């Protein structure tokens, strides 16, 4: 919608991204869980220094999704955790190979000046420079989705 790439390139890139993410981690090696009723800062403190688990999504106050190695996600601990029925540990470091493959796809995509700015959900910043798009989209594959912060920025 912002005009950063043509519709066909956007569709091809999104399809490729999904395939790469599906194959980035062996089946059953990762997990995701929604942590309910805890502040993001508390969850960040709990996960600080813990290997194999990170925040996938900052959905809204009181709902954070954690992701990573199945055992690490299960052991992270919280008052109320709901395992999510997903096929992989999305938005975790385990998805880095998918990001690397996506970067290769972008090599064949022409980026255009943006008609309107957009908010990148990897950092919740307003983006007006089309030269930053590729890197942010690649980073977002294995990084936290800052949905709450993105909505706050748009407001």
């Amino acid at each position: 919608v912002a005009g950063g790439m043509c519709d066909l390139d956007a569709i091809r890139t999104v399809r490729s991204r999904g395939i790469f993410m599906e194959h980035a981690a062996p089946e059953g090696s990762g997990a995701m869980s929604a942590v309910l009723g805890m502040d993001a800062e508390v969850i960040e403190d709990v996960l600080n220094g813990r290997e194999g688990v990170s925040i996938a999504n900052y959905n809204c106050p009181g709902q954070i999704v954690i992701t990573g190695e199945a055992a690490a996600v299960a052991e992270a601990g919280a008052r109320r955790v709901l395992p999510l029925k997903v096929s992989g540990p999305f938005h975790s470091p385990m998805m880095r190979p998918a990001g690397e493959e996506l970067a290769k796809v972008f090599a064949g995509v022409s980026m255009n000046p943006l008609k309107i700015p957009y908010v990148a959900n990897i950092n919740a910043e307003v983006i007006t420079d089309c030269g930053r798009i590729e890197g942010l989209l690649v980073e977002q594959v294995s990084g936290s989705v800052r949905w709450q912060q993105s909505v706050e920025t748009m407001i």
Side-chain angles (χ1 to χ4, degrees), residues 58-114:
Y58 292 83
N59 287 335
C60 64
Q63 187 188 87
I64 305 294
V65 176
I66 60 174
T67 184
E69 297 169 8
V73 170
E75 294 170 5
R79 288 175 288 201
R80 182 149 185 233
V81 178
L82 286 160
L84 302 178
K85 293 181 181 182
V86 295
S87 60
F90 304 115
H91 306 293
S92 78
M94 294 175 76
M95 292 288 114
R96 281 196 185 112
E100 292 166 3
E101 291 300 315
L102 183 61
K104 294 175 188 174
V105 170
F106 277 119
V109 174
S110 296
M111 300 306 291
N112 306 312
L114 298 175

Side-chain angles (χ1 to χ4, degrees), residues 114 117-129 132-133 136 139 146-154:
L114 298 175
Y118 83 100
V119 176
N121 66 24
I122 187 69
N123 58 15
E125 292 178 8
V126 176
I127 306 301
T128 58
D129 177 7
R132 294 186 58 203
I133 296 171
L136 292 168
E139 186 181 348
R146 297 184 177 277
W147 179 249
Q148 175 187 337
Q149 297 90 333
S150 295
V151 171
E152 290 168 351
T153 296
M154 288 185 276

